[in-house]
Each structure stands twice: as C-alpha cells, then as structure tokens.
Amino acid sequence: MNIIMLGAPGAGKGTFSAYLEEKYQIPHISTGDIFRENIKNNTELGAKAKTYMDKGELVPDELVVSLVVDRLAKDDCAKGFILDGFPRTLPQADALTKALEDAESGIDYALNIDCPDEFIINRMAGRRVCPGCGASYHLVNVPPKKEGVCDVCGAELIQREDDNPETIANRLRVYHEQTQPLIDYYADQKVLENVDGTIGRDNVFAVLDKLLD
Ligand code: ADP
Ligand code: ZN
C-alpha cells in the first residue's frame, strides 16, 4: 500500500503516519525528519537544508527529489510506504509519479489531513517533540505522562526551532502557495481522500481504519 500524507504543517501528518506504519508494517518516510537527522549529524545536506527550514521555506526540489526516489528503491518499501512531507510542490509530485511509473507502481491513497489555519497556529505553538526518538506531543492535546519527558524513550522534550510564530506564519503561506495545489493533482489521479484533522487523534485513527481496511 503506497500512501502520501497531504496537509498543512502541523496538521498531524507525523502522528497519523506513525500510526499507519505500526499498523501496516510499512516504512514511514518523513523528509522533514531526514533533514533534521542530517542537521543533527552535521552533513552537507543538513547545512544546506537548514538555511531554508529556519525561515520556514521549502528546501529546493533538486535536494529533495533524488533523496526520496533513492529511499523508495530500498527493499523495505517493496510492500508499500507512507510518505510524510513529500511531495510538497508540483514538480516534486511529477517526479514522484514518474519514478513510480518507471517501477510499474503508483500511489494508492493521498490522504489530505484537513485543518483550518487558526487550528494549525494553535496546535503548533503547543507542539513539543522528542529529539531522541521523534515522538510528537502537545502541551494540551497530547501531553506526555510526565511533563517535559518523552513517554517512549525518556528524553527531554523540545520545541522545534521552526515552531515559532513568525516561521509558522511563513510555513502556512508556503503551504497554501506551493503544496495545496497537490490536492487537485491527486484528486485528478483519483486517489485523494479528505480526512477532517480537527476531530481529535483517536477519531482520525478510526476514520483511517475505515478508509484503508
Ligand atoms: P511540517 O510538515 O510540520 O512543516 P516537516 O518536518 O515536514 O514539517 O518539514 C520541515 C521543513 O523541512 C519544511 O518547512 C521544509 O523547509 C523542509 N522540507 C520537508 N520536506 C520537504 C519537501 N518535500 N520539499 C521541500 N522542503 C521540505
Ligand atoms: Zn523519545
């Protein structure tokens, strides 16, 4: 099962991808996580990506596309994958369509996690993430069992550098300009499913169960 997660930054793509990864045992591939990993390891790619990410802008297509295409060619993607945060532009979507066609494959579901901007702004301000294992929390909606500490691995939770109000506003603007058009792109491919992202995590899980089972 080949799945793409669409939706604004902070819509919960990461949370829902992790759920589907566990349920279907297919890899969750997050380009944002790949870049953050590269930044942490001081790679050349990380240094390049950081300059864009810190401003809430998109990393240029040429730095993203080949990275994802190479990742999808790995053995663990043979049974499917969940792409989270890619594609984010029409050229990226075209490149993905082409790469999958070359492998006689395609997308089964493009899940659009739909949330209004005010909701996103609220949510991102309260988001906390685990630098150890990548788990994601929210001060009010999904608090960790012990304040400030990851339930999964015990590391101290942090706020992502790009989760500050100015950068959030810019990320939303970039989303509307460059990523939102992909909703029509995948509707045309007849794989789009709209999912209301405002109904709470467990309710979204239930909607996903119904859609995909
Ligand atoms: P969110 O969905 O919450 O914005 P991500 O972790 O998906 O966060 O992405 C963080 C940042 O990484 C983006 O703002 C962007 O700068 C960069 N990025 C991630 N994926 C892509 C992509 N497919 N194309 C361009 N830039 C990307
Ligand atoms: Zn953790």
Side-chain angles (χ1 to χ4, degrees):
M1 186 152 52
N2 298 344
I3 301 173
I4 291 176
M5 303 298 278
L6 296 174
K13 300 188 295 292
T15 302
F16 305 132
S17 299
Y19 174 73
L20 297 175
E21 171 177 51
E22 169 79 25
K23 182 166 180 195
Y24 295 106
Q25 297 292 308
I26 49 178
H28 165 203
I29 300 164
S30 157
T31 43
D33 284 349
I34 294 173
F35 289 136
R36 281 185 289 275
E37 190 65 27
N38 273 274
I39 292 171
K40 202 160 94 185
N41 296 328
N42 289 311
T43 69
E44 200 178 316
L45 175 65
K48 281 187 193 153
K50 190 173 189 321
T51 59
Y52 299 95
M53 290 169 75
D54 283 350
K55 289 183 277 187
E57 275 159 27
L58 294 184
V59 175
D61 290 336
E62 57 273 23
L63 290 182
V64 189
V65 168
S66 57
L67 184 138
V68 173
V69 170
D70 289 351
R71 180 65 189 84
L72 294 181
K74 296 220 167 118
D75 288 344
D76 65 336
C77 292
K79 281 204 208 119
F81 54 77
I82 304 146
L83 269 178
D84 165 13
F86 183 95
R88 255 182 160 93
T89 65
L90 283 170
Q92 289 180 18
D94 275 331
L96 177 65
T97 301
K98 173 102 196 353
L100 291 173
E101 271 171 14
D102 288 348
E104 289 176 6
S105 177
I107 294 301
D108 300 302
Y109 297 98
L111 304 174
N112 177 39
I113 313 298
D114 198 13
C115 292
D117 283 7
E118 311 80 64
F119 188 91
I120 298 281
I121 291 166
N122 234 318
R123 172 177 291 162
M124 280 204 279
R127 177 154 75 174
R128 296 294 180 274
V129 294
C130 173
C133 71
S136 186
Y137 300 87
H138 188 279
L139 293 182
V140 182
N141 307 336
V142 195
K145 292 200 183 79
K146 185 167 173 238
E147 198 186 317
V149 177
C150 178
D151 291 347
V152 182
C153 75
E156 198 174 320
L157 302 179
I158 57 165
Q159 184 164 31
R160 264 170 50 175
E161 263 179 63
D162 55 355
D163 277 349
N164 66 73
E166 249 164 66
T167 314
I168 290 171
N170 201 36
R171 282 157 71 202
L172 273 174
R173 189 182 55 73
V174 168
Y175 167 75
H176 288 301
E177 278 174 23
Q178 304 203 52
T179 310
Q180 208 171 17
L182 298 186
I183 295 172
D184 287 340
Y185 181 95
Y186 287 105
D188 288 345
Q189 290 197 7
K190 309 268 184 283
V191 294
L192 184 76
E193 296 287 353
N194 283 304
V195 177
D196 183 348
T198 67
I199 59 178
R201 188 177 62 163
D202 292 342
N203 292 323
V204 175
F205 289 166
V207 169
L208 294 175
D209 288 346
K210 242 197 179 153
L211 268 176
L212 305 180
D213 274 347

